[in-house]
């Protein structure tokens, strides 16, 4: 018979990969999962559309060595949110840890998060701080910090995303009850829906993941399209009753400026205003 302790610490890891992912990054990500101090009893990997032969080779290699890696191919690419919703249906455990295929877990990430969730059954979702790197994990240039406690997180969520999605552990039933991933940005909307549903949040005040960052992302995410998407998302939050009309206006204005400003100013804002800089 399975011990109570082992049952409490059972959890799933939920991932999605698509054709443009780099095989070497995916290998590093999977390596970091299967060398944890607390191992998952299943890893659910959604192939979001056809992949390259190189990515299939990486996946096949890990499947040979880890029978708890379960892969579910999809015929077409439908985006991260849809892929994660599909993956949630395959997860057998209530506790689900998210992981992206280009990030790297610190060795004790799952032990820290799963232990916390097990010892605090009133918490429905937790995340941690993240160290952001460009070339390798020994060259961390910034850290994304977040408020710790639920009340502070609620206030923060009215302005910015309240958790670090690549590090979250959440209760599967709560995510599904809140409607899962939807719209843009799919993770931010989910957190707001969970907050409105009465879910309790917590952010561990230590970094448990190396986040692979590229300034090219900020170059690509400028322009009117992203500005309009941000405004629509902010209007949606207001219609949901989460933010006031004043907060809708100020959030839309600030985000619009960031989206429409020249690339070098957008990168400057990110590096020196929105992040904690590492010395």
């Amino acid at each position: 018979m399975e011990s109570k302790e082992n049952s409490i610490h059972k959890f799933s890891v939920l991932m999605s990969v698509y054709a443009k992912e780099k095989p070497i990054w995916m290998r590093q990500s999977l390596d970091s999962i299967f060398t944890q101090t607390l191992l998952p009893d299943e890893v659910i990997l959604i192939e979001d559309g056809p992949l390259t032969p190189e990515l299939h080779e990486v996946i096949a290699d890990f499947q040979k060595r880890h029978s708890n890696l379960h892969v579910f191919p999809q015929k077409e690419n439908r985006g991260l949110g849809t892929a994660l919703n599909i993956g949630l249906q395959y997860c057998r455990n209530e506790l689900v840890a998210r992981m992206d295929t280009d990030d790297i877990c610190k060795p004790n990430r799952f032990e820290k998060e799963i232990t916390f969730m097990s010892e605090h059954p009133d918490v429905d979702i937790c995340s941690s701080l993240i160290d952001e790197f460009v070339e390798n994990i020994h060259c961390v240039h910034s850290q994304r910090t977040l408020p710790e406690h639920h009340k502070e997180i609620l206030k923060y969520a009215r302005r910015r995303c309240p958790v670090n999605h690549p590090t979250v552990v959440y209760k599967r039933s709560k995510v599904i009850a809140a409607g899962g991933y939807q719209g843009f940005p799919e993770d931010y909307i989910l957190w707001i829906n969970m907050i409105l549903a009465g879910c309790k949040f917590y952010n561990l005040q230590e970094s448990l993941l190396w986040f692979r960052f590229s300034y090219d992302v900020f170059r690509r995410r400028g322009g009117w399209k992203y500005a309009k998407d941000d405004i629509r998302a902010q209007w949606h939050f207001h219609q949901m009753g989460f933010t006031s009309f004043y907060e809708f206006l100020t959030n839309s204005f600030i985000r619009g400026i960031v989206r429409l400003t020249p690339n070098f100013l957008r990168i400057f804002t990110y590096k020196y205003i929105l992040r904690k800089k590492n010395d």
Side-chain angles (χ1 to χ4, degrees):
M1 181 179 293
E2 185 177 51
S3 70
K4 182 178 179 181
E5 182 178 357
N6 287 338
S7 177
I8 287 174
H9 286 89
K10 272 196 164 188
F11 67 101
S12 306
V13 173
L14 175 59
M15 310 178 74
S16 172
V17 62
Y18 78 126
K20 292 184 179 180
E21 187 64 273
K22 292 187 177 182
I24 189 171
W25 291 358
M26 185 174 186
R27 183 175 294 278
Q28 291 172 342
S29 178
L30 289 171
D31 271 332
S32 76
I33 290 173
F34 290 109
T35 55
Q36 288 283 297
T37 56
L38 177 66
L39 295 172
D41 65 304
E42 65 173 8
V43 177
I44 303 299
L45 175 63
I46 303 300
E47 294 182 357
D48 189 16
L51 304 181
T52 64
E54 292 79 10
L55 284 170
H56 280 302
E57 182 180 347
V58 172
I59 294 170
D61 178 39
F62 277 88
Q63 281 186 296
K64 289 178 183 177
R65 293 185 283 132
H66 303 283
S67 61
N68 59 341
L69 173 59
H70 307 299
V71 182
F72 300 93
Q74 306 301 304
K75 291 182 179 180
E76 59 183 23
N77 176 266
R78 299 171 63 188
L80 179 61
T82 298
L84 296 181
N85 284 334
I86 293 170
L88 280 170
Q89 302 305 316
Y90 290 109
C91 293
R92 296 178 297 179
N93 298 305
E94 173 68 344
L95 290 183
V96 176
R98 271 284 292 118
M99 180 63 182
D100 287 331
T101 52
D102 56 351
D103 296 330
I104 302 173
C105 287
K106 295 192 177 182
N108 62 347
R109 176 198 162 185
F110 295 152
E111 181 179 3
K112 291 273 187 176
E113 292 179 329
I114 299 301
T115 298
F116 176 85
M117 292 292 286
S118 300
E119 293 176 349
H120 299 83
D122 59 319
V123 174
D124 300 301
I125 174 173
C126 81
S127 79
S128 76
L129 312 186
I130 58 176
D131 287 336
E132 297 171 317
F133 72 98
V134 176
E135 295 182 357
N136 63 74
I137 61 175
H138 304 294
C139 298
V140 172
H141 69 87
S142 60
Q143 185 177 84
R144 183 170 191 236
T145 61
L146 293 167
E148 180 177 4
H149 298 288
H150 185 70
K151 187 175 180 180
E152 302 164 337
I153 292 171
L154 293 188
K155 183 178 179 181
Y156 188 88
R158 296 182 185 279
R159 297 179 290 108
R160 296 175 63 188
C161 189
V163 298
N164 283 324
H165 189 201
T167 70
V168 297
V169 170
Y170 47 48
K171 293 178 179 176
R172 176 180 177 273
S173 62
K174 298 291 185 177
V175 171
I176 293 175
Y181 295 89
Q182 51 186 289
F184 171 88
E186 64 274 339
D187 59 325
Y188 198 172
I189 292 177
L190 173 57
W191 314 144
I192 303 305
N193 281 329
M194 291 180 71
I195 288 172
L196 293 175
C199 294
K200 186 173 181 179
F201 284 59
Y202 186 86
N203 287 317
L204 295 167
Q205 295 300 293
E206 62 178 302
S207 174
L208 297 177
L209 179 133
W210 287 290
F211 179 83
R212 195 180 299 276
F213 173 79
S214 170
Y215 288 118
D216 288 337
V217 172
F218 277 79
R219 295 187 179 95
R220 293 195 303 267
R221 291 185 178 179
W224 281 105
K225 179 186 181 300
Y226 279 101
K228 289 188 289 186
D229 286 342
D230 274 335
I231 292 172
R232 278 194 289 266
Q234 292 299 319
W235 180 245
H236 182 51
F237 296 158
H238 174 61
Q239 287 185 312
M240 293 164 67
F242 184 68
T243 57
S244 67
F245 186 68
Y246 173 77
E247 288 169 326
F248 157 71
L249 289 177
T250 55
N251 289 344
S252 298
F253 178 73
I254 293 170
R255 289 169 179 270
I257 289 177
V258 173
R259 294 296 191 188
L260 298 176
T261 197
N263 287 330
F264 76 94
L265 286 178
R266 187 160 53 251
I267 293 173
F268 177 87
T269 300
Y270 175 85
K271 287 179 66 176
Y272 297 104
I273 298 177
L274 298 180
R275 290 295 186 269
K276 178 182 177 182
K277 188 72 174 175
N278 278 22
D279 295 329

